[in-house]
Amino acid sequence: MDVEINFKNILVAVDDSDDALLAFKYAISRAKSEGAKLTIVSVLEDEEINVFQSLSGQFVHGKYEDLEKHLEKYKQTAEEAGVADVNVIASTGEAGETIIKDVLPKINPDLLIVGSESKKGLARHFGSQAAYMAKYSPVSVMVIR
């Protein structure tokens, strides 16, 4: 039985880890070949900010602005590769939970692409973000390694 699934709205999560970069490249390829909309999301995780930094709204705002600028580079790369419809989302919180509970309902993708390991050290020890997203996502999830 041959089943071909074409996705129209792809969400890819990036954090600069090797696996996330592979996921991003795959998402570009898939979006381009299927003419799909591509949304690139990255989450500024709360655990990256210490208590003193969190007291300074300016510090958090600066980190968030840096993330937004960084995401624009991802967007430019996808557009240069030939993806016609590219959007970016920067968010804050715990990555897996934020993507599943906040981003997915807004974007309504039919495919979520994530790398198998996050760049963040603690997340690896407390369970994989990819596993969380695969378990709780209401849409198909592709985990890239």
Side-chain angles (χ1 to χ4, degrees):
M1 180 168 117
D2 253 353
V3 177
E4 187 174 323
I5 300 173
N6 288 318
F7 296 102
K8 300 294 177 216
N9 189 0
I10 297 171
L11 177 65
V12 62
V14 297
D15 69 358
D16 291 343
S17 66
D18 290 342
D19 286 349
L21 292 173
L22 286 174
F24 175 62
K25 289 176 184 174
Y26 178 81
I28 287 173
S29 173
R30 188 92 190 224
K32 185 178 173 184
S33 70
E34 297 182 13
K37 173 181 178 180
L38 178 63
T39 302
I40 305 160
V41 63
S42 192
V43 178
L44 178 62
E45 294 193 73
D46 299 328
E47 68 191 27
E48 296 175 22
I49 301 169
N50 71 40
V51 68
F52 299 108
Q53 293 167 332
S54 69
L55 295 174
S56 167
Q58 190 171 8
F59 176 83
V60 175
H61 183 70
K63 292 277 283 188
Y64 190 79
E65 278 184 348
D66 291 345
L67 178 61
E68 288 179 314
K69 287 177 188 171
H70 192 58
L71 280 171
E72 284 301 318
K73 293 177 185 172
Y74 276 100
K75 180 179 180 179
Q76 183 178 0
T77 299
E79 289 172 340
E80 288 172 357
V83 180
D85 189 357
V86 184
N87 297 294
V88 295
I89 294 179
S91 194
T92 58
E94 186 275 320
E97 189 173 326
T98 298
I99 290 169
I100 296 301
K101 293 182 179 178
D102 299 337
V103 178
L104 275 176
K106 291 175 187 163
I107 302 305
N108 201 22
D110 44 20
L111 176 63
L112 169 61
I113 301 175
V114 297
S116 66
E117 292 186 4
S118 74
K119 188 173 185 177
K120 318 302 182 268
L122 286 177
R124 284 188 185 165
H125 301 296
F126 294 116
S128 166
Q129 298 298 308
Y132 177 91
M133 289 184 268
K135 181 175 181 178
Y136 294 105
S137 174
V139 301
S140 295
V141 177
M142 179 168 288
V143 180
I144 305 292
R145 104 177 14 231

